[in-house]
Amino acid sequence: MAETAKNAIDVLVVGGGVAGLSGAVTLARARRSVVVVDSGEPRNAPAAGVHGLLSRDGVAPGELLRAGREEVAAYGGQVVTDRVVAARREGEGFTVDTAGGRRFAARRLLVCTGVADRLPEVAGLRERWGKDVLHCPYCHGWEVRDQPVGILSTGPKTVHQALLFRQLSDDVTVFTHTGGDPAEEDWERLAARGIGVVDGEVVAVETEGDRLAGVRLKSGRRVPLRALAVAPRLEARDGMLAQLGLAAEEHPAGVGHHVRSGPGGLTDVPGVWVAGNVTDPMAGVPVAAAAGVQAAMAVNAELVAAEADAAVARRGGGRGADVFGPASEAEVCERVLGERRHGLEGLSPTGRAERQ
């Protein structure tokens, strides 16, 4: 499949998660030609369900994306399973190549490639990720309420995370691991909320059957748990964006890298927008979906303005830009009124005779 500049699609959406699909539906409903290219590797695939999404709480991630792809198609959009490997500017648009040998020409790009979770190097942890090894109390906290929850410290957000999970369970323990000791004021906050602190490095996550049973420290000590909260480093999937001059940078919150963007997801590269976790790494599913819609609206508005400017230029070399100027008013009057525009016909005998 190949697209040429002559029949370039309006918008190519890179990434078919909730941000990309929401943006694609919005663009297709605005009667834009839109193609979504998605590699089929959703970040939340290990999770049993999506939570906090009004009317769809608990829906399986795969089911949510399947429904989203159907909605895109229902409005005339297209979803392609492939991976973008190269992107470059061509004139006022872009050419994008995929691993599958496809080439697309697009007027604008909406990039929703998300982030990769860099998990702590602890034996058995990755296998439980998205099940009972968690990161977000809003996404998965209700499911572990009133159970023993551990917080694996690896960075500056440990105490914040511990206090959030304390809202859900009165049995919360912080493992200092590689994150170091809390600050003095944080010790007080933890103690005041009855949150325990265990020193030492965690070397393994242990299970019983298909369920987390606890963690084992380097000292050999075992601590029983039913859930373990971690704070993975979030790395923007910015490969194609880097080719366009948009390198990821450290997020202000210190949680990883993201691609900086302005209102509506506009980047520093004209014609390129971003939405979802690639720019807002801590956004949950509802927030990412809303960001996709906002970015799509911004893209469409920019295209509408560009098309209006082009129409003005075609109409008369820019003459139509001053629609209230003397030249424009004279032209309109001549087309509508002819000689009557001066009001002189009423002063001539012929004009009076014609009216009689």
Side-chain angles (χ1 to χ4, degrees):
M1 175 180 179
E3 300 284 348
T4 64
K6 184 177 180 180
N7 62 348
I9 56 179
D10 288 327
V11 186
L12 182 72
V13 180
V14 185
V18 293
L21 292 174
S22 296
V25 168
T26 302
L27 289 162
R29 283 177 53 84
R31 307 193 73 176
R32 292 294 176 190
S33 57
V34 58
V35 174
V36 180
V37 178
D38 180 62
S39 63
E41 300 170 322
R43 177 191 177 199
N44 61 352
V50 172
H51 297 286
L53 187 60
L54 192 64
S55 83
R56 301 302 302 274
D57 189 73
V59 63
E63 170 60 22
L64 181 63
L65 297 182
R66 184 198 61 78
R69 290 191 290 268
E70 289 182 356
E71 290 181 9
V72 172
Y75 289 107
Q78 183 181 2
V79 181
V80 175
T81 302
D82 209 334
R83 183 188 303 277
V84 170
V85 295
R88 61 187 180 276
R89 183 176 289 282
E90 295 281 353
E92 296 184 358
F94 303 89
T95 298
V96 174
D97 296 323
T98 72
R102 296 176 171 89
R103 173 167 291 178
F104 297 95
R107 299 170 64 193
R108 303 293 185 268
L109 297 178
L110 174 55
V111 180
C112 307
T113 46
V115 295
D117 295 294
R118 306 301 181 198
L119 296 170
E121 294 293 335
V122 174
L125 186 146
R126 181 171 295 278
E127 290 77 7
R128 305 307 304 171
W129 175 240
K131 301 178 178 68
D132 34 31
V133 173
L134 317 166
H135 72 296
C136 175
Y138 301 105
C139 303
H140 307 291
W142 173 263
E143 285 64 40
V144 299
R145 67 195 184 279
D146 299 326
Q147 299 180 40
V149 178
I151 311 295
L152 189 68
S153 177
T154 55
K157 297 297 182 180
T158 298
V159 173
H160 174 69
Q161 194 175 38
L163 293 172
L164 289 176
F165 275 95
R166 178 61 181 82
Q167 173 66 21
L168 299 159
S169 171
D170 59 6
D171 189 351
V172 176
T173 303
V174 170
F175 296 88
T176 59
H177 191 52
T178 61
D181 288 337
E184 186 62 34
E185 61 271 21
D186 288 333
W187 276 110
E188 294 183 7
R189 292 163 71 84
L190 294 172
R193 292 293 284 148
I195 298 172
V197 178
V198 174
D199 289 329
E201 182 180 350
V202 173
V203 295
V205 168
E206 299 186 335
T207 60
E208 292 178 356
D210 189 30
R211 185 169 185 178
L212 180 72
V215 297
R216 177 163 47 86
L217 278 69
K218 192 173 184 178
S219 65
R221 178 184 175 186
R222 288 175 169 82
V223 180
L225 297 171
R226 285 303 185 186
L228 180 65
V230 302
R233 184 165 175 80
L234 309 177
E235 302 289 349
R237 294 171 174 168
D238 65 334
M240 66 160 293
L241 289 169
Q243 298 175 23
L244 297 170
L246 284 170
E249 58 188 50
E250 187 70 22
H251 191 275
V255 296
H257 287 97
H258 75 134
V259 176
R260 181 167 47 86
S261 64
L266 181 63
T267 69
D268 292 336
V269 175
V272 180
W273 280 257
V274 290
N277 289 146
V278 70
T279 186
D280 185 2
M282 294 181 288
V285 168
V287 177
V293 172
Q294 289 181 319
M297 293 168 61
V299 174
N300 184 60
E302 196 268 350
L303 284 171
V304 166
E307 289 159 356
D309 290 343
V312 167
R314 289 193 303 269
R315 183 170 179 267
R319 181 179 56 181
D322 186 11
V323 295
F324 297 111
S328 295
E329 290 195 8
E331 179 182 348
V332 171
C333 287
E334 183 174 357
R335 289 184 179 183
V336 176
L337 299 174
E339 287 300 326
R340 290 179 297 150
R341 68 188 185 280
H342 300 297
L344 298 178
E345 80 284 356
L347 301 178
S348 67
T350 303
R352 286 194 296 269
E354 289 175 350
R355 288 200 307 274
Q356 294 172 357

